[in-house]
Protein backbone atom coordinates (compact mmCIF):
# COMPACT_ATOMS: atom_id res chain seq x y z
CA UNK A 1 0.00 0.00 0.00
CA UNK A 2 1.45 3.29 -1.15
CA UNK A 3 1.48 6.28 1.10
CA UNK A 4 1.19 9.92 0.13
CA UNK A 5 4.84 10.64 0.97
CA UNK A 6 7.28 10.80 -1.93
CA UNK A 7 10.70 9.25 -1.83
CA UNK A 8 13.75 11.48 -1.27
CA UNK A 9 14.96 11.02 -4.88
CA UNK A 10 11.65 12.05 -6.32
CA UNK A 11 11.46 15.01 -3.95
CA UNK A 12 14.84 16.23 -5.08
CA UNK A 13 13.78 15.84 -8.71
CA UNK A 14 10.66 17.88 -8.01
CA UNK A 15 12.67 20.64 -6.32
CA UNK A 16 15.05 20.89 -9.29
CA UNK A 17 12.32 21.12 -11.79
CA UNK A 18 10.61 23.86 -9.83
CA UNK A 19 13.75 26.01 -9.33
CA UNK A 20 13.26 29.66 -10.44
CA UNK A 21 14.89 30.78 -13.72
CA UNK A 22 18.27 32.54 -13.48
CA UNK A 23 18.20 36.33 -13.35
CA UNK A 24 18.83 38.24 -16.62
CA UNK A 25 22.43 39.35 -17.31
CA UNK A 26 23.31 42.80 -16.07
CA UNK A 27 23.51 45.81 -18.38
CA UNK A 28 26.78 46.45 -20.20
CA UNK A 29 27.34 49.75 -18.38
CA UNK A 30 27.39 48.15 -14.90
CA UNK A 31 29.33 45.47 -13.14
CA UNK A 32 27.46 43.28 -10.61
CA UNK A 33 28.96 41.56 -7.60
CA UNK A 34 29.22 37.85 -8.35
CA UNK A 35 26.44 35.74 -6.75
CA UNK A 36 27.27 33.68 -3.66
CA UNK A 37 28.12 30.03 -4.01
CA UNK A 38 25.44 27.40 -3.50
CA UNK A 39 26.92 26.35 -0.19
CA UNK A 40 26.76 29.84 1.32
CA UNK A 41 23.48 31.18 2.53
CA UNK A 42 21.71 33.59 0.18
CA UNK A 43 22.20 37.27 1.11
CA UNK A 44 19.37 39.15 2.45
CA UNK A 45 20.16 42.37 0.49
CA UNK A 46 20.16 43.02 -3.29
CA UNK A 47 23.54 43.14 -5.21
CA UNK A 48 25.38 46.53 -5.27
CA UNK A 49 26.01 47.93 -8.78
CA UNK A 50 29.20 50.01 -9.57
CA UNK A 51 29.39 52.27 -12.61
CA UNK A 52 32.19 51.89 -15.16
CA UNK A 53 33.51 55.38 -14.34
CA UNK A 54 33.78 54.53 -10.64
CA UNK A 55 35.56 51.30 -11.46
CA UNK A 56 38.25 53.05 -13.51
CA UNK A 57 38.64 55.81 -10.95
CA UNK A 58 39.29 53.28 -8.20
CA UNK A 59 41.73 51.05 -10.10
CA UNK A 60 43.59 53.56 -12.35
CA UNK A 61 43.72 56.78 -10.32
CA UNK A 62 44.01 55.69 -6.71
CA UNK A 63 45.59 58.96 -5.57
CA UNK A 64 45.87 62.65 -6.45
CA UNK A 65 47.38 63.66 -9.84
CA UNK A 66 51.00 64.84 -9.53
CA UNK A 67 52.27 67.88 -11.51
CA UNK A 68 54.24 67.15 -14.70
CA UNK A 69 57.95 68.12 -14.41
CA UNK A 70 59.20 70.93 -16.63
CA UNK A 71 61.33 70.13 -19.68
CA UNK A 72 64.08 72.38 -18.35
CA UNK A 73 64.50 69.92 -15.45
CA UNK A 74 65.84 67.35 -17.90
CA UNK A 75 67.80 69.53 -20.39
CA UNK A 76 70.50 72.14 -19.69
CA UNK A 77 69.94 75.74 -20.65
CA UNK A 78 72.00 77.03 -23.61
CA UNK A 79 73.21 80.58 -24.19
CA UNK A 80 71.22 82.81 -26.51
CA UNK A 81 72.37 83.13 -30.15
CA UNK A 82 74.84 84.33 -31.37
CA UNK A 83 77.55 82.39 -29.67
CA UNK A 84 80.69 80.59 -30.67
CA UNK A 85 79.60 77.49 -32.59
CA UNK A 86 80.61 74.14 -31.11
CA UNK A 87 83.51 72.32 -32.75
CA UNK A 88 82.27 70.26 -35.70
CA UNK A 89 82.03 66.53 -35.47
CA UNK A 90 84.23 64.61 -37.83
CA UNK A 91 82.19 62.86 -40.43
CA UNK A 92 82.60 61.65 -43.96
CA UNK A 93 81.62 64.27 -46.50
CA UNK A 94 80.69 63.07 -50.00
CA UNK A 95 83.22 64.35 -52.49
CA UNK A 96 82.40 65.45 -55.99
CA UNK A 97 84.54 65.73 -59.08
CA UNK A 98 85.62 69.22 -60.01
CA UNK A 99 84.90 71.02 -63.24
CA UNK A 100 87.11 74.07 -63.56
CA UNK A 101 87.55 74.20 -59.80
CA UNK A 102 83.90 73.60 -58.94
CA UNK A 103 81.61 70.80 -57.98
CA UNK A 104 79.73 68.77 -60.54
CA UNK A 105 77.23 70.90 -62.32
CA UNK A 106 73.63 70.11 -61.46
CA UNK A 107 74.50 68.05 -58.38
CA UNK A 108 73.12 69.08 -55.07
CA UNK A 109 75.94 69.94 -52.67
CA UNK A 110 76.02 67.67 -49.69
CA UNK A 111 73.94 64.98 -51.42
CA UNK A 112 75.24 61.52 -50.66
CA UNK A 113 73.91 60.25 -53.95
CA UNK A 114 71.17 58.09 -52.39
CA UNK A 115 67.98 58.47 -54.33
CA UNK A 116 69.46 61.10 -56.63
CA UNK A 117 68.56 60.67 -60.21
CA UNK A 118 69.96 62.08 -63.42
CA UNK A 119 71.98 65.17 -62.64
CA UNK A 120 71.75 64.70 -58.85
CA UNK A 121 69.51 67.71 -58.41
CA UNK A 122 66.43 65.76 -57.39
CA UNK A 123 64.78 65.01 -54.13
CA UNK A 124 67.83 63.93 -52.13
CA UNK A 125 67.81 65.29 -48.60
CA UNK A 126 70.81 67.30 -47.51
CA UNK A 127 72.57 66.54 -44.25
CA UNK A 128 70.47 68.00 -41.44
CA UNK A 129 72.86 67.63 -38.50
CA UNK A 130 73.04 70.44 -35.99
CA UNK A 131 76.52 71.49 -37.09
CA UNK A 132 75.20 72.16 -40.61
CA UNK A 133 72.97 74.96 -39.41
CA UNK A 134 75.95 77.30 -39.06
CA UNK A 135 78.09 77.35 -42.20
CA UNK A 136 79.74 80.76 -41.80
CA UNK A 137 79.32 84.20 -43.36
CA UNK A 138 80.59 85.76 -46.60
CA UNK A 139 81.38 89.45 -47.07
CA UNK A 140 81.48 90.90 -50.60
CA UNK A 141 80.55 94.02 -52.58
CA UNK A 142 78.95 94.58 -55.99
CA UNK A 143 79.28 97.46 -58.45
CA UNK A 144 77.45 97.77 -61.78
CA UNK A 145 79.19 99.95 -64.37
CA UNK A 146 76.49 100.57 -66.96
CA UNK A 147 78.70 102.74 -69.16
CA UNK A 148 81.15 99.87 -69.73
CA UNK A 149 78.56 97.10 -69.24
CA UNK A 150 80.54 95.49 -66.42
CA UNK A 151 79.59 93.92 -63.12
CA UNK A 152 82.37 94.08 -60.51
CA UNK A 153 82.23 91.63 -57.63
CA UNK A 154 84.81 92.07 -54.87
CA UNK A 155 85.02 89.08 -52.53
CA UNK A 156 86.39 90.43 -49.24
CA UNK A 157 86.40 87.68 -46.63
CA UNK A 158 84.53 84.90 -44.90
CA UNK A 159 84.14 84.15 -41.19
CA UNK A 160 83.44 81.02 -39.19
CA UNK A 161 83.42 78.60 -42.11
CA UNK A 162 82.55 75.02 -41.43
CA UNK A 163 85.64 72.80 -41.07
CA UNK A 164 85.85 70.29 -43.91
CA UNK A 165 89.28 68.69 -43.45
CA UNK A 166 90.49 66.22 -40.86
CA UNK A 167 92.71 68.91 -39.30
CA UNK A 168 89.64 70.96 -38.36
CA UNK A 169 90.32 73.58 -41.07
CA UNK A 170 89.50 74.12 -44.75
CA UNK A 171 91.08 75.31 -48.03
CA UNK A 172 88.29 77.65 -49.18
CA UNK A 173 87.67 79.48 -52.44
CA UNK A 174 84.62 81.29 -53.85
CA UNK A 175 82.98 80.40 -57.14
CA UNK A 176 80.68 82.90 -58.89
CA UNK A 177 77.87 81.91 -61.24
CA UNK A 178 75.56 84.28 -63.09
CA UNK A 179 72.05 82.81 -63.24
CA UNK A 180 70.24 81.95 -65.38
CA UNK A 181 72.98 80.90 -67.76
CA UNK A 182 74.43 77.56 -68.71
CA UNK A 183 77.66 78.75 -70.29
CA UNK A 184 80.88 77.94 -68.48
CA UNK A 185 81.94 81.53 -69.17
CA UNK A 186 79.40 82.58 -66.53
CA UNK A 187 81.60 81.03 -63.84
CA UNK A 188 84.43 82.90 -62.15
CA UNK A 189 86.40 81.92 -59.06
CA UNK A 190 88.83 83.34 -56.57
CA UNK A 191 92.16 81.92 -55.51
CA UNK A 192 92.30 79.14 -52.92
CA UNK A 193 93.51 79.92 -49.40
CA UNK A 194 95.05 77.14 -47.33
CA UNK A 195 94.21 75.96 -43.80
CA UNK A 196 91.81 78.64 -42.61
CA UNK A 197 88.22 79.07 -41.51
CA UNK A 198 88.40 82.88 -41.75
CA UNK A 199 89.86 83.55 -45.23
CA UNK A 200 90.55 87.05 -46.56
CA UNK A 201 90.60 87.33 -50.37
CA UNK A 202 90.00 91.01 -51.27
CA UNK A 203 89.82 89.85 -54.88
CA UNK A 204 87.73 91.52 -57.62
CA UNK A 205 86.11 89.46 -60.38
CA UNK A 206 84.52 91.18 -63.40
CA UNK A 207 81.66 90.10 -65.63
CA UNK A 208 81.81 91.84 -69.03
CA UNK A 209 78.90 92.38 -71.38
CA UNK A 210 76.29 92.86 -68.65
CA UNK A 211 73.50 95.18 -69.78
CA UNK A 212 70.82 96.99 -67.82
CA UNK A 213 68.31 94.40 -69.05
CA UNK A 214 70.47 91.63 -67.58
CA UNK A 215 70.43 93.34 -64.19
CA UNK A 216 66.65 93.01 -64.04
CA UNK A 217 66.55 89.27 -64.72
CA UNK A 218 69.78 87.70 -63.43
CA UNK A 219 70.93 86.50 -60.02
CA UNK A 220 74.50 86.23 -58.77
CA UNK A 221 75.31 83.01 -56.91
CA UNK A 222 78.39 82.91 -54.70
CA UNK A 223 79.39 79.40 -53.72
CA UNK A 224 82.06 78.72 -51.08
CA UNK A 225 83.88 75.39 -51.55
CA UNK A 226 86.80 73.56 -50.01
CA UNK A 227 89.62 72.31 -52.26
CA UNK A 228 91.73 69.29 -51.37
CA UNK A 229 94.98 67.91 -52.72
CA UNK A 230 93.33 65.54 -55.17
CA UNK A 231 91.73 68.38 -57.07
CA UNK A 232 88.30 67.67 -55.69
CA UNK A 233 86.07 70.02 -53.77
CA UNK A 234 83.51 69.95 -51.01
CA UNK A 235 80.56 72.30 -50.89
CA UNK A 236 80.41 74.53 -47.79
CA UNK A 237 77.60 76.99 -48.47
CA UNK A 238 76.22 79.58 -50.85
CA UNK A 239 74.65 83.04 -51.01
CA UNK A 240 72.50 84.54 -53.77
CA UNK A 241 71.78 88.15 -54.69
CA UNK A 242 69.10 89.35 -57.12
CA UNK A 243 70.86 91.95 -59.29
CA UNK A 244 67.67 93.96 -59.81
CA UNK A 245 68.18 95.36 -56.30
CA UNK A 246 71.54 96.85 -57.30
CA UNK A 247 71.45 100.39 -58.62
CA UNK A 248 73.80 101.61 -61.32
CA UNK A 249 76.97 103.18 -59.89
CA UNK A 250 76.31 102.07 -56.31
CA UNK A 251 79.04 100.04 -54.64
CA UNK A 252 76.91 97.96 -52.30
CA UNK A 253 78.48 95.82 -49.58
CA UNK A 254 76.91 92.57 -48.39
CA UNK A 255 77.52 90.39 -45.34
CA UNK A 256 75.39 87.27 -45.79
CA UNK A 257 75.15 83.97 -43.97
CA UNK A 258 75.91 80.92 -46.06
CA UNK A 259 73.08 78.52 -46.75
CA UNK A 260 72.87 74.92 -47.86
CA UNK A 261 70.09 75.23 -50.41
CA UNK A 262 68.91 73.13 -53.33
CA UNK A 263 69.97 74.24 -56.78
CA UNK A 264 67.77 74.88 -59.74
CA UNK A 265 68.18 72.20 -62.35
CA UNK A 266 67.44 74.59 -65.21
CA UNK A 267 70.15 77.01 -64.09
CA UNK A 268 72.95 74.60 -63.24
CA UNK A 269 72.71 71.75 -65.67
CA UNK A 270 74.50 72.85 -68.86
CA UNK A 271 74.42 70.21 -71.54
CA UNK A 272 77.64 69.36 -73.32
CA UNK A 273 77.94 71.38 -76.52
CA UNK A 274 78.60 69.35 -79.61
CA UNK A 275 80.02 70.72 -82.83
CA UNK A 276 77.21 71.81 -85.12
CA UNK A 277 74.53 71.48 -82.44
CA UNK A 278 71.94 74.31 -82.37
CA UNK A 279 72.53 76.86 -79.63
CA UNK A 280 70.24 79.35 -78.00
CA UNK A 281 71.15 83.02 -78.34
CA UNK A 282 72.02 83.36 -74.67
CA UNK A 283 74.38 80.39 -74.96
CA UNK A 284 76.33 81.76 -77.94
CA UNK A 285 77.72 84.79 -76.13
CA UNK A 286 78.22 88.48 -76.90
CA UNK A 287 80.68 90.67 -78.72
CA UNK A 288 81.77 94.28 -78.15
CA UNK A 289 82.21 96.15 -81.46
CA UNK A 290 83.33 99.75 -82.07
CA UNK A 291 82.56 101.69 -85.26
CA UNK A 292 84.04 105.00 -86.37
CA UNK A 293 83.82 106.71 -89.78
CA UNK A 294 86.73 109.04 -90.57
CA UNK A 295 85.65 111.71 -93.08
CA UNK A 296 89.25 112.93 -93.66
CA UNK A 297 90.39 109.50 -94.86
CA UNK A 298 87.00 108.31 -96.12
CA UNK A 299 87.33 105.05 -94.25
CA UNK A 300 85.43 102.98 -91.73
CA UNK A 301 87.30 101.78 -88.66
CA UNK A 302 85.92 98.55 -87.19
CA UNK A 303 87.19 97.58 -83.76
CA UNK A 304 86.77 94.07 -82.34
CA UNK A 305 87.23 94.76 -78.64
CA UNK A 306 86.28 91.56 -76.85
CA UNK A 307 83.77 88.72 -76.50
CA UNK A 308 82.02 87.46 -73.39
CA UNK A 309 80.23 84.26 -72.35
CA UNK A 310 81.06 82.38 -75.54
CA UNK A 311 79.83 78.83 -75.99
CA UNK A 312 82.32 76.04 -75.31
CA UNK A 313 82.95 74.15 -78.54
CA UNK A 314 85.87 71.92 -77.52
CA UNK A 315 85.84 68.80 -75.35
CA UNK A 316 87.94 70.57 -72.68
CA UNK A 317 85.07 72.95 -71.96
CA UNK A 318 86.64 75.94 -73.74
CA UNK A 319 87.02 77.37 -77.24
CA UNK A 320 89.85 78.83 -79.32
CA UNK A 321 87.92 81.83 -80.67
CA UNK A 322 88.69 84.26 -83.46
CA UNK A 323 86.51 86.81 -85.30
CA UNK A 324 85.92 87.30 -89.01
CA UNK A 325 84.47 90.52 -90.51
CA UNK A 326 83.22 91.03 -94.06
CA UNK A 327 81.81 94.19 -95.63
CA UNK A 328 79.06 93.21 -98.08
CA UNK A 329 78.61 93.49 -101.03
CA UNK A 330 81.95 91.73 -101.33
CA UNK A 331 84.79 93.99 -102.46
CA UNK A 332 87.36 91.22 -102.81
CA UNK A 333 90.23 90.58 -100.41
CA UNK A 334 90.05 94.12 -99.07
CA UNK A 335 86.65 93.42 -97.55
CA UNK A 336 87.65 90.37 -95.47
CA UNK A 337 89.58 90.43 -92.20
CA UNK A 338 90.01 88.17 -89.22
CA UNK A 339 91.53 88.58 -85.79
CA UNK A 340 94.16 86.46 -84.09
CA UNK A 341 93.18 83.24 -82.31
CA UNK A 342 92.87 83.31 -78.53
CA UNK A 343 93.58 79.90 -77.03
CA UNK A 344 91.42 78.14 -74.46
CA UNK A 345 89.11 80.94 -73.37
CA UNK A 346 85.44 81.86 -73.40
CA UNK A 347 86.04 85.56 -72.67
CA UNK A 348 88.68 86.59 -75.23
CA UNK A 349 90.04 90.13 -75.42
CA UNK A 350 91.17 91.12 -78.93
CA UNK A 351 91.48 94.94 -79.08
CA UNK A 352 92.12 94.78 -82.85
CA UNK A 353 91.05 97.38 -85.40
CA UNK A 354 90.50 97.11 -89.15
CA UNK A 355 90.00 99.77 -91.84
CA UNK A 356 87.75 99.85 -94.92
CA UNK A 357 88.29 102.50 -97.61
CA UNK A 358 84.76 103.44 -98.60
CA UNK A 359 82.82 106.65 -99.14
CA UNK A 360 79.98 107.58 -96.83
CA UNK A 361 77.37 107.23 -99.61
CA UNK A 362 78.44 103.69 -100.44
CA UNK A 363 78.81 102.75 -96.78
CA UNK A 364 75.16 103.55 -96.11
CA UNK A 365 74.18 100.78 -98.57
CA UNK A 366 76.52 98.12 -97.23
CA UNK A 367 76.25 95.49 -94.48
CA UNK A 368 78.97 94.56 -92.01
CA UNK A 369 78.97 90.85 -91.21
CA UNK A 370 80.75 89.79 -88.00
CA UNK A 371 81.11 86.13 -87.04
CA UNK A 372 82.89 84.34 -84.18
CA UNK A 373 84.55 80.97 -84.79
CA UNK A 374 86.32 78.26 -82.84
CA UNK A 375 89.65 77.35 -84.42
CA UNK A 376 90.40 73.66 -84.94
CA UNK A 377 93.81 72.65 -86.32
CA UNK A 378 93.48 70.55 -89.47
CA UNK A 379 89.69 70.42 -89.15
CA UNK A 380 86.73 72.57 -90.03
CA UNK A 381 86.32 75.55 -87.75
CA UNK A 382 83.19 75.58 -85.59
CA UNK A 383 80.76 78.46 -85.95
CA UNK A 384 79.86 80.02 -82.59
CA UNK A 385 77.67 82.99 -83.54
CA UNK A 386 77.38 86.13 -85.60
CA UNK A 387 75.82 89.55 -85.98
CA UNK A 388 75.05 91.84 -88.95
CA UNK A 389 75.17 95.63 -88.83
CA UNK A 390 73.70 97.76 -91.62
CA UNK A 391 70.67 99.45 -93.11
CA UNK A 392 68.79 96.13 -93.21
CA UNK A 393 69.38 95.40 -89.52
CA UNK A 394 66.89 96.10 -86.74
CA UNK A 395 66.84 97.08 -83.10
CA UNK A 396 70.15 97.79 -81.45
CA UNK A 397 72.13 96.68 -84.52
CA UNK A 398 70.43 99.29 -86.67
CA UNK A 399 70.85 101.93 -83.95
CA UNK A 400 74.58 101.23 -83.76
CA UNK A 401 74.91 101.62 -87.53
CA UNK A 402 72.96 104.92 -87.61
CA UNK A 403 74.98 106.40 -84.76
CA UNK A 404 78.18 105.59 -86.61
CA UNK A 405 77.01 107.34 -89.78
CA UNK A 406 75.60 110.29 -87.82
CA UNK A 407 78.54 110.92 -85.45
CA UNK A 408 81.44 111.12 -87.89
CA UNK A 409 84.86 110.93 -86.30
CA UNK A 410 83.44 109.50 -83.04
CA UNK A 411 83.98 105.94 -81.89
CA UNK A 412 80.69 104.25 -81.01
CA UNK A 413 80.79 101.00 -79.00
CA UNK A 414 77.93 98.54 -78.57
CA UNK A 415 77.51 95.05 -77.11
CA UNK A 416 75.67 92.67 -79.45
CA UNK A 417 74.27 89.23 -78.74
CA UNK A 418 75.55 86.55 -81.10
CA UNK A 419 72.88 84.79 -83.15
CA UNK A 420 72.65 82.32 -86.01
CA UNK A 421 73.30 85.16 -88.48
CA UNK A 422 76.39 84.50 -90.58
CA UNK A 423 76.29 80.73 -90.09
CA UNK A 424 77.55 78.99 -93.27
CA UNK A 425 75.81 76.08 -94.86
CA UNK A 426 79.00 74.04 -94.30
CA UNK A 427 82.09 74.88 -92.27
CA UNK A 428 85.14 75.71 -94.32
CA UNK A 429 88.74 75.62 -93.22
CA UNK A 430 90.44 79.03 -93.37
Amino acid sequence: MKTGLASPRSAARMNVSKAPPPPPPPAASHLAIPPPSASSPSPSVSPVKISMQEHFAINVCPGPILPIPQISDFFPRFHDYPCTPPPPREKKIPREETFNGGFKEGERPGDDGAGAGGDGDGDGVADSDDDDTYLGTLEFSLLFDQENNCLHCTVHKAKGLKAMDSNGLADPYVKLHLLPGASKANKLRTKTLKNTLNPVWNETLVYHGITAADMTTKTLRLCVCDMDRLGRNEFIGEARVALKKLREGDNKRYNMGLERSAQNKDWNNPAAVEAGAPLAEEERGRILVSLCYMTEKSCLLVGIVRCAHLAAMDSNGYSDPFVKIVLQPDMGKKSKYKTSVKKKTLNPEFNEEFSYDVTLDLLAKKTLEISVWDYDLGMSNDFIGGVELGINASGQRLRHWFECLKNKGKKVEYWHTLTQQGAPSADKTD
Side-chain angles (χ1 to χ4, degrees):
M1 182 177 179
K2 295 183 179 179
T3 62
L5 298 176
S7 63
R9 181 177 300 179
S10 61
R13 186 179 298 131
M14 292 176 60
N15 292 336
V16 172
S17 61
K18 294 181 179 180
S29 59
H30 294 80
L31 293 177
I33 297 176
S37 61
S39 60
S40 61
S42 59
S44 59
V45 294
S46 61
V48 179
K49 297 182 179 180
I50 303 176
S51 66
M52 187 70 71
Q53 291 79 2
E54 292 175 339
H55 171 73
F56 283 121
I58 294 173
N59 292 277
V60 179
C61 302
I65 299 177
L66 298 177
I68 300 176
Q70 297 183 3
I71 297 180
S72 59
D73 296 339
F74 299 93
F75 297 91
R77 297 181 182 272
F78 292 98
H79 297 285
D80 295 335
Y81 186 87
C83 63
T84 304
R89 300 190 302 268
E90 293 186 6
K91 63 179 180 178
K92 185 177 180 181
I93 302 296
R95 298 171 180 265
E96 303 168 4
E97 298 291 341
T98 54
F99 187 68
N100 190 28
F103 50 84
K104 276 186 179 179
E105 297 303 326
E107 288 194 359
R108 180 173 182 174
D111 198 336
D112 57 3
D119 55 2
D121 199 28
D123 300 330
V125 179
D127 194 341
S128 60
D129 288 347
D130 293 339
D131 55 352
D132 286 342
T133 59
Y134 185 85
L135 303 174
T137 60
L138 180 64
E139 188 173 341
F140 60 96
S141 59
L142 299 178
L143 172 64
F144 175 54
D145 184 2
Q146 186 173 359
E147 182 178 356
N148 297 314
N149 296 109
C150 295
L151 175 64
H152 301 262
C153 179
T154 302
V155 182
H156 299 292
K157 58 185 177 180
K159 289 184 178 181
L161 294 182
K162 179 184 175 184
M164 307 298 290
D165 299 337
S166 58
N167 59 0
L169 300 174
D171 301 330
Y173 67 91
V174 180
K175 183 178 179 182
L176 275 62
H177 192 181
L178 203 57
L179 308 174
S183 174
K184 184 179 178 182
N186 279 330
K187 303 177 182 65
L188 304 175
R189 59 162 292 176
T190 66
K191 58 187 177 182
T192 303
L193 301 181
K194 299 291 185 179
N195 297 327
T196 178
L197 298 180
N198 300 283
V200 178
W201 288 283
N202 289 328
E203 186 174 348
T204 300
L205 306 175
V206 182
Y207 279 103
H208 296 278
I210 304 300
T211 63
D214 293 330
M215 298 295 292
T216 61
T217 59
K218 292 187 177 293
T219 297
L220 182 64
R221 174 172 175 255
L222 300 95
C223 177
V224 182
C225 300
D226 168 64
M227 178 68 69
D228 65 8
R229 297 178 181 178
L230 300 179
R232 300 184 178 185
N233 72 86
E234 298 169 344
F235 177 84
I236 298 178
E238 69 171 35
R240 299 194 183 193
V241 177
L243 298 182
K244 62 183 179 181
K245 300 180 181 179
L246 185 65
R247 297 182 179 179
E248 193 274 330
D250 290 346
N251 190 358
K252 190 171 182 180
R253 198 178 185 101
Y254 299 83
N255 189 1
M256 303 180 65
L258 298 177
E259 299 179 354
R260 182 180 292 274
S261 59
Q263 301 169 21
N264 190 303
K265 183 184 301 184
D266 297 333
W267 288 359
N268 298 319
N269 186 25
V273 179
E274 299 180 359
L279 298 172
E281 289 189 2
E282 184 66 24
E283 295 176 339
R284 295 181 181 275
R286 296 177 179 178
I287 185 171
L288 178 59
V289 181
S290 67
L291 299 178
C292 179
Y293 185 79
M294 307 296 295
T295 55
E296 299 83 359
K297 299 181 180 180
S298 298
C299 67
L300 173 66
L301 299 179
V302 180
I304 305 299
V305 183
R306 68 185 310 143
C307 295
H309 319 321
L310 294 181
M313 308 300 291
D314 296 337
S315 58
N316 59 3
Y318 293 94
S319 294
D320 301 324
F322 69 94
V323 181
K324 294 195 301 184
I325 56 176
V326 181
L327 189 63
Q328 299 284 9
D330 195 348
M331 299 186 305
K333 292 184 178 180
K334 294 183 179 180
S335 66
K336 298 180 180 180
Y337 294 100
K338 69 177 182 178
T339 67
S340 58
V341 178
K342 302 298 181 180
K343 294 290 185 178
K344 198 177 180 181
T345 179
L346 301 178
N347 297 281
E349 186 173 356
F350 297 99
N351 291 322
E352 299 184 29
E353 196 171 68
F354 307 93
S355 176
Y356 289 100
D357 295 329
V358 59
T359 62
L360 186 61
D361 296 338
L362 293 176
L363 181 62
K365 302 176 183 179
K366 292 186 176 295
T367 299
L368 183 65
E369 297 180 354
I370 303 174
S371 57
V372 182
W373 299 75
D374 169 54
Y375 176 77
D376 289 327
L377 181 62
M379 301 173 60
S380 298
N381 298 319
D382 300 324
F383 175 78
I384 298 179
V387 61
E388 294 182 359
L389 307 177
I391 192 65
N392 296 323
S394 61
Q396 189 164 317
R397 300 177 180 87
L398 181 60
R399 188 181 305 111
H400 191 187
W401 189 255
F402 277 162
E403 287 191 15
C404 170
L405 300 179
K406 180 180 179 180
N407 302 292
K408 305 176 186 65
K410 181 181 178 181
K411 183 180 294 187
V412 182
E413 288 187 352
Y414 267 77
W415 279 97
H416 297 285
T417 301
L418 299 177
T419 66
Q420 188 67 20
Q421 287 183 336
S425 56
D427 295 339
K428 298 180 181 180
T429 305
D430 288 322

